[in-house]
Amino acid sequence: MSLAFSIALRFLKSSKGQTLLIALGIAIGVSVQIFIGSLIQGLQIDLVDTTIGRQPQVTLASNTDDKLIENYQPILDDVAANYPGVKHVSPAADGPALFTIDEENYSVLVRGLSFEQADGIYQITASLKEGSLPVQGDEVMIGLDLAKETGLAIGDTVEVLVGSPEKSTMKITGLFDLGVSSLNKSWVLTTLATAQNLFDYGDRLTGIEMQVEDVFAADTIAQSIQKNQRETIETENWKDQNASLLSGLNGQSVSSLMIQVFVMISVLLGIASVLAITVVQKSRQIGILKAMGIQDGSASRIFLFQGLMLGLAGAILGILLGLGLAYAFTRFAVNPDGTPVVPLFIDPRFIALSAGFAVLVSTLAALIPARKSSQLNPIEVIRNA
């Protein structure tokens, strides 16, 4: 085997231009794979984070007439303890209301949350721009867009109508920005107890919200939770509610995979054709080696080693080139604020897989010339040389 490796290395060194050209072709294929894969993964992560990253991915709701969940604490404890895929669980008590300001009414959604638990989902603390979180029973916080539209500020009081003729007076303690204009304009956040008292829910909830470790497993986790809950509880997940988004993400993944496969096929064909020509070019040397006693298997391994070494060289060069392309993209394709248009996701496992696949393809491509070399008849080669 060491003899076959030495001869393969000598063949590569004797045709440096050809060797460099093949290695560069493999490198370009690997770099395209890494760049496109990182781009698509980054785009998917950015889309998911933008759309559902700060939203519940699985929600438990009641299918009773009043749509309220009773005796919810055992459900919270069960989900938190028995489903390792769930990372954040938060109770919620929601209800529609009207803000009355200078005889004008504004439709809002009052959301009662346990801020400590809900912070993992909505990042409320990080979204707080001014003031503080509500603590007392008559305190709420509103979004920046709603504050701008109504002219409300921290410390102001507002009348809230929730269905009965009587109005409740609430004090604004903080302003938040959740990054979504519709939420900043319609959501009013308060404590869980305040919302329960405001809507006369008693000790009941309108929903239990949660985020999961793997967002694409949300439907599976929801089904698992559903099996172990009461008949009055139903589960919802983001995949069922965002079918068009999911279809777009799957389309991106499929198109990315197809591009990468065709790139590798072109690399395979290129290597196979060039090494096949090398067999013809080196046929006299191979014939002499066979006449000197080298076995057919060793002659075949010469080209397998060539394919392996070319694959390794191309993979290493391709990783460097791919990472360079990714770095350049994040520096030149930027938004007005300087952030990348699409944040690339550099996954070491994906890079290693791409490089390993390139080495495998290069070695497989060498099988054709390896088989051809093993079939050479040394007497005929030397006679026709």
Side-chain angles (χ1 to χ4, degrees), residues 42 50 116 144 158 188-189 199 202 236 264 297 333 385:
T50 301
E116 182 179 355
L144 291 178
V158 61
V188 174
L189 304 182
F199 295 104
E236 301 172 353
M264 283 296 103

Side-chain angles (χ1 to χ4, degrees), residues 97-99 110 134 136-142 152-153 155-162 167-173 188-191 193-195 197-199:
L98 291 176
F99 267 16
V110 177
Q136 304 298 326
D138 61 346
E139 296 179 343
V140 296
M141 58 189 297
I142 63 175
L152 292 171
D156 290 347
T157 58
V158 61
E159 293 183 334
V160 182
L161 180 64
V162 296
K167 296 180 179 179
S168 301
T169 301
M170 296 290 176
K171 180 181 178 181
I172 310 297
T173 65
V188 174
L189 304 182
T190 187
T191 65
T194 299
N197 292 333
L198 185 65
F199 295 104

Side-chain angles (χ1 to χ4, degrees), residues 319-330:
I319 291 174
L320 297 176
L321 183 58
L323 293 177
L325 285 172
Y327 177 80
F329 181 83
T330 58

Side-chain angles (χ1 to χ4, degrees), residues 124-306:
I124 297 172
T125 303
S127 301
L128 184 64
K129 298 303 178 183
E130 297 181 40
S132 60
L133 298 176
V135 177
Q136 304 298 326
D138 61 346
E139 296 179 343
V140 296
M141 58 189 297
I142 63 175
L144 291 178
D145 291 353
L146 182 60
K148 183 177 179 180
E149 182 178 358
T150 60
L152 292 171
I154 295 175
D156 290 347
T157 58
V158 61
E159 293 183 334
V160 182
L161 180 64
V162 296
S164 63
E166 297 182 4
K167 296 180 179 179
S168 301
T169 301
M170 296 290 176
K171 180 181 178 181
I172 310 297
T173 65
L175 303 179
F176 62 81
D177 179 12
L178 294 176
V180 181
S181 179
S182 60
L183 302 185
N184 289 340
K185 187 175 291 186
S186 61
W187 279 17
V188 174
L189 304 182
T190 187
T191 65
L192 186 64
T194 299
Q196 289 173 326
N197 292 333
L198 185 65
F199 295 104
D200 197 24
Y201 289 160
D203 191 29
R204 295 174 294 177
L205 303 176
T206 56
I208 296 175
E209 303 171 336
M210 60 195 79
Q211 280 195 342
V212 296
E213 296 285 352
D214 180 4
V215 295
F216 292 102
D219 54 342
T220 304
I221 294 174
Q223 291 173 3
S224 178
I225 294 175
Q226 179 71 69
K227 292 178 181 178
N228 300 313
Q229 293 303 325
R230 316 164 192 161
E231 293 182 356
T232 57
I233 300 296
E234 59 184 12
T235 59
E236 301 172 353
N237 67 87
W238 77 271
K239 294 178 73 173
D240 292 341
Q241 297 169 340
N242 297 271
S244 57
L245 172 62
L246 190 62
S247 176
L249 293 174
N250 289 334
Q252 287 179 344
S253 298
V254 171
S255 61
S256 173
L257 180 61
M258 290 185 65
I259 292 172
Q260 294 175 52
V261 167
F262 282 114
V263 167
M264 283 296 103
I265 289 175
S266 64
V267 170
L268 185 150
L269 294 176
I271 296 171
S273 60
V274 173
L275 290 181
I277 295 173
T278 303
V279 174
V280 177
Q281 293 174 336
K282 304 294 184 181
S283 59
R284 184 171 180 272
Q285 291 92 323
I286 296 173
I288 294 172
L289 289 170
K290 283 192 173 185
M292 294 174 62
I294 192 172
Q295 300 296 317
D296 289 342
S298 296
S300 298
R301 284 194 291 272
I302 291 174
F303 293 94
L304 291 177
F305 278 127
Q306 279 189 299

